[in-house]
Amino acid sequence: MSGPAGPEVCAVVLAAGEGTRLRPLTERLPKALCPVGNVALLDRALARLAGLDLTGPDRVAVNACYLGEQVVAHVGDRAHLSVEPGDPLGTAGGVGNLRDWIAGRGVLVGNADAYLHDPTAAPGPDIAALLHGWDGESVRLLGQPAADPAAPGTFDGHAFTGFSLLPWRLVRDLPAEFGDLVRAVWRPAEAAGALTVVPYAGTFYDTGTPADYLAANLHAAGTGSLVDPTATVTGRCHRSVIGAGATVLGDVDRVVVWPGARVAADEHLRNAIRADTHLTVPATPRP
């Protein structure tokens, strides 16, 4: 894809992380494949890129490491796959490991665990402002005004919301070793006056904690419950998300029930994620 000004752009979805804050959920499933609104987070990211006409292994790459075989099988031939040996290389190392594939293009980098929803724009067009009029030289970040504009981790008073646009001149020298984009690219670009924050008008969750993961699912469900047609629900179901093939015989209130999981008739779950017959992860409601 090229923006209106012409620079050629490819995309990288970062899906190699361990998701330690979501354990024990991520002991069996990589965070990128955790379902939000009954859709894997990684599929949401790929759909957003498709909305920008970025599809296929020539224009989209996905990195994998932790439980990487699951990511590889899930992606199939939909994107170029970059499997990192050993431990994950981090956000900068993951991009650096793809330098030969990026090959001179600008790169739109997205975190697989970012949940975004703008009621006024479809996935893809909702972040298209990142690309509009880009000069191919500066760094752009998608962001939202931070509660504390001076807090560490903010950029021009904004919190990062999952996507950044990087020029080739700053990607070509990234080593394929552990590092993060904040220190390797973003902060140096900010210091040089070459970083711009593009506001995101919709809802954003990074889904990195049980509370945010639950909040993202409830947002995806809207005002009621979201129940897969193949699920069996005979108990009370309030503001919950029920996955494919799940069985809910008991009561659930603000609960995510993963595909194939089961809630027994004598169970009453609230503010939690049920991952199988027995694993329940509490999720304190987000303020």
Side-chain angles (χ1 to χ4, degrees):
M1 176 179 181
S2 299
E8 186 178 3
V9 174
C10 61
V12 171
V13 181
L14 299 173
E18 296 185 32
T20 54
R21 293 177 298 163
L22 275 179
R23 288 178 178 166
L25 294 173
T26 49
E27 289 177 356
R28 61 194 67 199
L29 192 69
K31 181 166 62 171
L33 300 188
C34 290
V36 170
N38 287 335
V39 178
L41 281 162
L42 180 53
D43 289 339
R44 288 182 174 274
L46 293 174
R48 178 160 277 104
L49 295 177
L52 294 169
D53 295 324
L54 289 164
T55 60
D58 291 335
R59 291 187 288 175
V60 178
V62 175
N63 74 336
C65 186
Y66 174 71
L67 299 179
E69 68 283 354
Q70 294 187 39
V71 175
V72 169
H74 190 85
V75 171
D77 62 1
R78 291 183 292 165
H80 175 81
L81 284 155
S82 173
V83 180
E84 300 168 5
D87 295 326
L89 292 172
T91 54
V95 174
N97 199 44
L98 280 158
R99 284 178 302 170
D100 290 346
W101 177 83
I102 295 169
R105 296 176 288 183
V107 56
L108 179 63
V109 182
N111 294 344
D113 59 359
Y115 170 84
L116 299 102
H117 176 78
D118 185 341
T120 68
D126 65 338
I127 66 167
L130 272 174
L131 298 168
H132 290 164
W134 186 52
D135 59 7
E137 295 292 324
S138 60
V139 173
R140 290 183 172 182
L141 302 183
L142 197 67
Q144 291 184 326
D148 178 0
T154 58
F155 296 85
D156 191 25
H158 290 72
F160 174 61
T161 56
F163 281 83
S164 64
L165 183 60
L166 312 180
W168 171 246
R169 68 180 183 87
L170 298 180
V171 169
R172 64 188 173 202
D173 295 325
L174 287 176
E177 59 187 39
F178 182 80
D180 66 80
L181 289 173
V182 176
R183 285 184 280 261
V185 178
W186 299 349
R187 289 303 183 195
E190 181 182 44
L195 183 146
T196 302
V197 177
V198 176
Y200 183 69
T203 297
F204 164 75
Y205 294 106
D206 72 1
T207 71
T209 66
D212 281 338
Y213 176 72
L214 174 62
N217 269 278
L218 297 182
H219 185 274
T223 58
S225 291
L226 181 60
V227 180
D228 187 274
T230 65
T232 299
V233 179
T234 59
R236 176 179 173 269
C237 182
H238 178 256
R239 289 295 318 279
S240 295
V241 176
I242 316 299
T247 301
V248 179
L249 307 179
D251 293 346
V252 291
D253 184 355
R254 296 173 61 91
V255 172
V256 180
V257 182
W258 275 14
R262 181 180 178 86
V263 178
D266 60 349
E267 289 187 288
H268 305 271
L269 301 184
R270 178 180 175 83
N271 296 321
I273 300 101
R274 168 58 60 84
D276 56 23
T277 303
H278 303 293
L279 177 59
T280 304
V281 176
T284 302
R286 202 174 193 265

